[in-house]
Amino acid sequence: MADILPDITVVNGKPTVVWVQNSEGDVLQQTGEASIYKAFLNNGNWTMEKLKDNLGSVDGICVNDNDGNLEIYFSQDTDQNNFTIEDKEIFKISENGLEQVTDNNIADTKPQISGGKVYWYKNGQITDGKNNIDINEGSDRYNIISNGN
């Protein structure tokens, strides 16, 4: 097993960690299946739970506390073929279950949350699904920097 891509937030005053686990111990996720786990600290003890399994490779994950409810956004290779990228889509896990946020023939990757809003990379742009910002770099590596607004 390989635990990768951790992220942390606080939900209802409890530190909560979310991460991806690869069943074959493959940090590059060329083999095996991905599962998403969460753990939270309650009265000095960690409680761990598997949230979703049988996923394709996950290349980005982020967590958010939305009014006391944990939200997890991640990008997944939906056809489990790492040689194709146009099938990478954004998904959300919340108290309502699993929801597919994007569904198109363009790679949607690397979700990040800032100010309670999720952003991701899509075809040379950073987007929130409604607004797009062109970036000049040919890479999906970016950081959202907030001034607190």
Side-chain angles (χ1 to χ4, degrees):
M1 305 286 177
D3 295 323
I4 56 177
L5 302 172
D7 200 8
I8 188 168
T9 191
V10 176
V11 179
N12 292 323
K14 299 175 185 173
T16 303
V17 181
V18 173
W19 70 95
V20 175
Q21 185 176 82
N22 178 273
S23 64
E24 298 295 321
D26 183 357
V27 296
L28 299 177
Q29 301 182 77
Q30 300 296 310
T31 61
E33 293 180 344
S35 298
I36 295 178
Y37 285 83
K38 79 170 181 179
F40 61 92
L41 186 62
N42 188 23
N43 297 323
N45 296 308
W46 285 98
T47 301
M48 188 171 84
E49 177 184 349
K50 184 188 289 188
L51 300 175
K52 187 70 181 150
D53 58 4
N54 300 316
L55 298 171
S57 62
V58 174
D59 72 354
I61 192 167
C62 60
V63 296
N64 184 47
D65 170 18
N66 183 5
D67 293 326
N69 297 302
L70 179 66
E71 293 180 333
I72 303 163
Y73 290 89
F74 64 98
S75 53
Q76 175 192 197
D77 185 344
T78 59
D79 71 356
Q80 299 187 8
N81 178 349
N82 291 328
F83 296 104
T84 61
I85 63 168
E86 65 277 353
D87 59 301
K88 290 184 176 186
E89 302 295 347
I90 304 294
F91 292 83
K92 174 184 171 183
I93 298 173
S94 70
E95 62 184 6
N96 298 322
L98 180 68
E99 172 189 344
Q100 187 167 346
V101 176
T102 64
D103 187 8
N104 53 48
N105 290 322
I106 299 170
D108 298 289
T109 62
K110 306 289 194 283
Q112 293 186 21
I113 293 176
S114 179
K117 189 175 222 180
V118 65
Y119 300 88
W120 62 90
Y121 176 85
K122 177 181 120 179
N123 199 28
Q125 299 176 321
I126 305 302
T127 184
D128 63 5
K130 296 177 185 169
N131 303 296
N132 302 316
I133 301 170
D134 291 327
I135 57 175
N136 294 326
E137 298 298 319
S139 171
D140 64 357
R141 295 182 181 196
Y142 69 96
N143 285 308
I144 302 292
I145 300 171
S146 173
N147 66 358
N149 295 325

